[in-house]
Amino acid sequence: MDIDITAWLNLAIRWLHFITGIAWIGSSFYFVWLDNHLEEPREKKKGMSGELWSVHGGGFYHKQKYAVAPEQMPDNLHWFKWEAYFTWMSGFALLAVIYYLGADLFLIDKSKMDLTQLEAIGISLAFLVGGWIFYDGLCRSPIGQNNKLTGIIWFLSLVGAAYALTHIFSDRAAFIHIGAIVGTSMAANVFMVIIPNQRKVVAALTAGEAPDPRLGQIGKQRSLHNNYMTLPVLFLMISNHYPMTFSNPYNWLIVAGIGLVGVMVRHFFNLRHKGKSSPGLVAGAVLLFILIAMFAADMEKRGRVNVSATDASFARVQAIIGKHCTSCHAAAPSHESFDEAPGGVMLDRADLIELYAPRIMEQTVKADIMPLGNETGMTDEERALIGKWIEDGAKR
């Protein structure tokens, strides 16, 4: 029995990443919502800062919050951490399976930097670790006392990272790495700050000592940061499906703009949960998203190589596809990585080129994804010739 182990492993890890991500984001959103809806306790207990009644699934729930800690430790204390840990671990495993093992195809773009596999992986890890070190240092510095200023500096540093990554790696890999930097910082917030601080509080209570209130304040700050980073990360997770974002000449600006849209949307809901109306935020987010789409379309149009209809003949297109595509996309692929045509797409016959013209347009012309890693060195002019032929009707 022949089993494509890599493909099944990819599926299993991606599914796990999706499941644990839902669990982590769901609990994060819920606790921020809960914190924003707390009311003054009717029957105050020592240390209790708020309470909330809610109804769900046919039952009533009474939640109480202690800003620092209760007087005594409860017998059963539920911790929210494994959702974050498994989301990061599965995400990193997915990064390794796709972009590290397949670095030559998915990570490296030799037209940008002629890297070896080890060099590319080293740069990737440096960005992940360096991003956390910078962010954590920022939070621990005097600037970290100001959440708005911290957010602005962190955002600008991520824009700088986006610019650098889009000039080092393939466009899709660059976007995934920006998401990985943010996701790593979010998970490290839980693992390195929030949970250790909570353990110190528990240890103090167990020893009969008064917990340091700053531990809870720091944990709440990092949790709030995670809340605002969530929507940009979700966009980056799905960005590889939308080439109009990552294949644009100004993709680093586009990812920055869409990330800002995500922050605005999250801020709207955080304010709304506090009973504050902010319709201007929604209008601003929608307007910014539309402006980004218009900007992306305009920059993509300006970046195209102009070719004439006479140049874009089928004979030339077929020759280009034969040079760059049919080593993989053929009835009997000659590429060492494939035993059969990827996705069942074969381009070694004229009728098949015509049949798959829309997919060629998406993958080769608009997204610059194919050939993988551009290992055959397809030029912008060749892509433009294919695009012109397809736009003119894709006729032989």
Side-chain angles (χ1 to χ4, degrees), residues 29 44 56 67 97 104 157 168 320 371:
F29 279 11
K44 291 188 176 181
H56 180 76
V97 169
D104 290 336
S157 70
I168 297 172
I320 293 169

Side-chain angles (χ1 to χ4, degrees), residues 153-170:
I153 294 174
W154 177 230
F155 174 77
L156 291 176
S157 70
L158 289 171
V159 174
Y163 179 83
L165 286 164
T166 53
H167 287 77
I168 297 172
F169 294 146
S170 70

Side-chain angles (χ1 to χ4, degrees), residues 161-390:
Y163 179 83
L165 286 164
T166 53
H167 287 77
I168 297 172
F169 294 146
S170 70
D171 293 330
R172 282 197 302 178
F175 269 40
I176 290 297
H177 272 76
I178 301 162
I181 292 170
V182 179
T184 296
S185 297
M186 291 172 66
N189 271 341
V190 178
F191 183 72
M192 303 288 286
V193 179
I194 297 172
I195 294 300
N197 281 10
Q198 289 176 340
R199 291 193 183 282
K200 290 176 184 177
V201 170
V202 170
L205 283 173
T206 304
E209 302 171 355
D212 183 355
R214 286 190 67 255
L215 296 172
Q217 294 167 4
I218 293 170
K220 182 179 178 180
Q221 180 194 46
R222 298 297 182 103
S223 181
L224 182 65
H225 290 179
N226 281 3
N227 181 257
Y228 277 101
M229 288 189 274
T230 300
L231 295 187
V233 165
L234 287 176
F235 157 69
L236 289 161
M237 286 174 62
I238 64 172
S239 63
N240 62 341
H241 296 287
Y242 301 96
M244 68 279 194
T245 61
F246 64 77
S247 66
N248 196 279
Y250 291 90
N251 46 18
W252 61 278
L253 273 179
I254 292 170
V255 72
I258 295 179
L260 187 57
V261 169
V263 171
M264 292 169 69
V265 171
R266 191 62 248 164
H267 190 54
F268 165 78
F269 281 104
N270 287 342
L271 290 177
R272 185 172 179 269
H273 295 158
K274 292 180 179 179
K276 299 178 181 179
S277 178
S278 54
L281 268 174
V282 177
V286 172
L287 178 60
L288 179 57
F289 190 84
I290 293 172
L291 290 175
I292 292 168
M294 294 172 62
F295 171 78
D298 185 53
M299 290 301 103
E300 181 183 1
K301 184 178 180 181
R302 293 187 187 188
R304 289 179 185 172
V305 176
N306 293 321
V307 295
S308 66
T310 54
D311 289 334
S313 64
F314 176 72
R316 293 195 65 181
V317 168
Q318 188 175 29
I320 293 169
I321 290 175
K323 176 183 177 182
H324 298 287
C325 308
T326 55
S327 62
C328 300
H329 293 282
S334 59
H335 196 288
E336 60 182 10
S337 300
F338 301 101
D339 296 323
E340 57 184 30
V345 177
M346 292 178 282
L347 303 173
D348 49 354
R349 296 202 320 256
D351 59 319
L352 293 176
I353 294 174
E354 188 174 0
L355 174 66
Y356 288 115
R359 294 184 67 172
I360 295 171
M361 186 71 170
E362 288 297 321
Q363 300 292 311
T364 303
V365 181
K366 292 184 177 181
D368 291 355
I369 295 172
M370 296 295 173
L372 287 174
N374 199 19
E375 60 179 350
T376 60
M378 182 181 282
T379 66
D380 290 340
E381 183 180 6
E382 288 173 325
R383 295 181 193 276
L385 282 167
I386 296 173
K388 179 63 177 174
W389 173 72
I390 296 172

Side-chain angles (χ1 to χ4, degrees), residues 13-27 82-91:
I13 297 172
R14 191 181 297 273
W15 198 5
L16 175 64
H17 187 56
F18 190 66
I19 293 168
T20 54
I22 289 174
W24 184 16
I25 292 167
S27 63
W82 291 109
E83 304 93 333
Y85 298 166
F86 273 99
T87 298
W88 185 86
M89 287 188 291
S90 58

